[in-house]
Amino acid sequence: MKVKEQKTWIFPIIAVLAGFLVGAIVMLLFGYNPLQNYWNLFVGAFGGSYSIGETLRNMTPLILTALGFAVASKAGFFNIGGSGQYLMGWFGAIIVALKLSWLPGWVLIFVSVIAGALLGGLWSAIAGILRAYCGTSEVITTIMLNYIALYFVNYMVKNWLATKGQDSSATIVAKASLRSNFLAQLTANSTLHWGFFLAILACIVIWIYFNRTKAGLELRSIGHNSRAAKYAGMNVRKTIIVSMLISGILAGLGGALDGLGNFQNISVSNSLPQVGYDGMAVALLAAYNPLGIILSALLFSALQIGGMSISVYSSTPTEIVNIVTAAIIFFIAIKYAFEIIMNKYKFSHSKNKNKRRVGQI
């Protein structure tokens, strides 16, 4: 293994260990047993076939929102709109599943999933077009689009999909569901569905896209230096829009699979789905590596699912898991902050060195 690859994996491992250490210190300060609580967390996430099924199911949207964020980040953009794109994907899939329920089973699932993914992609592409042609910050536009998506979906669910006096749509027909008797029997009636395997497939496809295609090379080149890429003849505007489109498609796919496999309907929400922000943390921990995102999503999913068992087996509040998660993100952020500072220092040092050389001449 190369030294650079080793460093790539060392920082996330240190961040995870440091996060668990901070959580242990907090528990000790408040009189709780960290070893017992971490064991309860592990049992809650992996202690049986049901727990494993729930952990894997919970990974599905985390993987896809993280992949979406990774694609945009590789192109040099900060797509904070994962929550809105996920919500639009969920909405699109449920609409098709309900309104076209007369279609054959696999056709209905395929059309519903594609509709959700495309709706998420189109929602994200709005920010990409504004960035490409108007220079508008994608951070601002994606945040705004998140809340537009929330209130738009709430309005449509309340006034179109839900029956009078209700806050949720009807449940989709069984043939539109991604769940199966086989997976249910395998995991003691957990909510694991086929969407999990599609998410794993998406990781492989995006890894190939990044590392084995011309379009992926152009995307990464623009992310490193857009001016140099433009000088080399690359279409920067096109790549900006395409990267945001793919980013939204992936987040929308996460919403579609979660809607068809987990929720089976859609309801009015008081706030944006947390999974969009969790996906950002997953991608950061994995350093935007599509294959690393699988392991990172497994960790975050285990914390979320297993964390619910902490208060069941002890008096420790489940919020302790949020402290561990926040600490992991904090230590990852420190790594990126140091990289930015060091890069600026190297650039400044190199610039001053060149000036001295010119002066000597």
Side-chain angles (χ1 to χ4, degrees):
M1 185 180 286
K2 296 179 181 179
V3 175
K4 188 175 181 180
E5 291 177 347
Q6 289 179 334
K7 289 183 178 180
T8 302
W9 286 104
I10 285 173
F11 282 114
I13 291 172
I14 292 175
V16 171
L17 293 176
F20 277 102
L21 179 61
V22 168
I25 292 172
V26 171
M27 280 186 265
L28 286 172
L29 289 174
F30 286 91
Y32 301 118
N33 186 335
L35 293 178
Q36 183 62 50
N37 283 324
Y38 282 146
W39 175 251
N40 292 340
L41 188 151
F42 179 82
V43 170
F46 304 108
S49 58
Y50 176 82
S51 299
I52 293 173
E54 289 298 306
T55 300
L56 296 181
R57 186 270 307 162
N58 192 56
M59 283 176 63
T60 304
L62 289 174
I63 287 173
L64 291 165
T65 52
L67 279 177
F69 183 75
V71 169
S73 298
K74 284 283 188 178
F77 310 114
F78 208 73
N79 181 9
I80 309 183
S83 293
Q85 293 146 25
Y86 165 91
L87 188 58
M88 292 300 287
W90 179 4
F91 175 64
I94 295 298
I95 284 179
V96 173
L98 290 174
K99 300 301 180 181
L100 301 180
S101 58
W102 47 268
L103 289 171
W106 284 105
V107 176
L108 180 59
I109 290 174
F110 177 78
V111 174
S112 299
V113 169
I114 293 299
L118 289 178
L119 192 55
L122 291 173
W123 202 250
S124 179
I126 295 172
I129 292 169
L130 290 173
R131 173 61 189 260
Y133 289 97
C134 304
T136 310
S137 170
E138 73 281 358
V139 174
I140 295 173
T141 53
T142 51
I143 290 175
M144 293 173 67
L145 285 167
N146 274 345
Y147 288 97
I148 293 172
L150 174 64
Y151 296 121
F152 170 75
V153 170
N154 281 350
Y155 176 84
M156 295 301 289
V157 170
K158 186 74 174 176
N159 295 278
W160 185 32
L161 294 180
T163 56
K164 191 173 181 180
Q166 299 295 318
D167 287 331
S168 60
S169 71
T171 302
I172 60 174
V173 293
K175 63 181 179 179
S177 174
L178 288 169
R179 297 186 193 179
S180 73
N181 292 330
F182 170 73
L183 292 176
Q185 291 172 4
L186 191 66
T187 58
N189 291 318
S190 78
T191 55
L192 178 64
H193 54 81
W194 293 110
F196 167 74
F197 302 98
L198 291 176
I200 298 298
L201 179 61
C203 288
I204 298 170
V205 170
I206 296 300
W207 184 89
I208 294 171
Y209 173 73
F210 280 160
N211 298 283
R212 295 291 185 269
T213 67
K214 180 183 177 183
L217 174 62
E218 289 184 355
L219 184 143
R220 290 187 290 114
S221 298
I222 289 172
H224 286 304
N225 192 325
S226 59
R227 291 183 179 180
K230 187 175 181 179
Y231 182 78
M234 297 179 187
N235 191 330
V236 176
R237 282 182 175 175
K238 176 185 174 183
T239 304
I240 291 172
I241 296 171
V242 169
S243 66
M244 290 298 288
L245 177 66
I246 295 173
S247 178
I249 285 174
L250 290 164
L253 180 61
L257 297 181
D258 223 14
L260 298 175
N262 182 28
F263 297 105
Q264 313 275 300
N265 70 347
I266 188 166
S267 305
V268 172
S269 303
N270 294 323
S271 59
L272 286 163
Q274 182 63 32
V275 68
Y277 302 108
D278 291 339
M280 293 168 58
V282 169
L284 287 170
L285 181 61
Y288 310 128
N289 185 318
L291 301 183
I293 281 173
I294 297 174
L295 296 177
S296 182
L298 178 63
L299 171 66
F300 275 77
S301 183
L303 287 171
Q304 292 171 356
I305 298 299
M308 293 186 288
S309 299
I310 287 180
S311 60
V312 174
Y313 298 109
S314 71
S315 60
T316 309
T318 56
E319 285 75 14
I320 193 67
V321 176
N322 295 333
I323 295 175
V324 174
T325 304
I328 292 172
I329 297 171
F330 173 77
F331 288 112
I332 284 292
I334 285 179
K335 177 242 182 182
Y336 284 101
F338 273 120
E339 284 183 349
I340 292 171
I341 293 170
M342 290 303 296
N343 287 335
K344 285 185 176 180
Y345 171 77
K346 288 178 181 178
F347 177 76
S348 177
H349 181 72
S350 176
K351 192 175 180 180
N352 292 332
K353 193 174 181 180
N354 290 335
K355 283 183 178 179
R356 287 196 298 268
R357 286 180 179 175
V358 172
Q360 290 175 354
I361 293 173

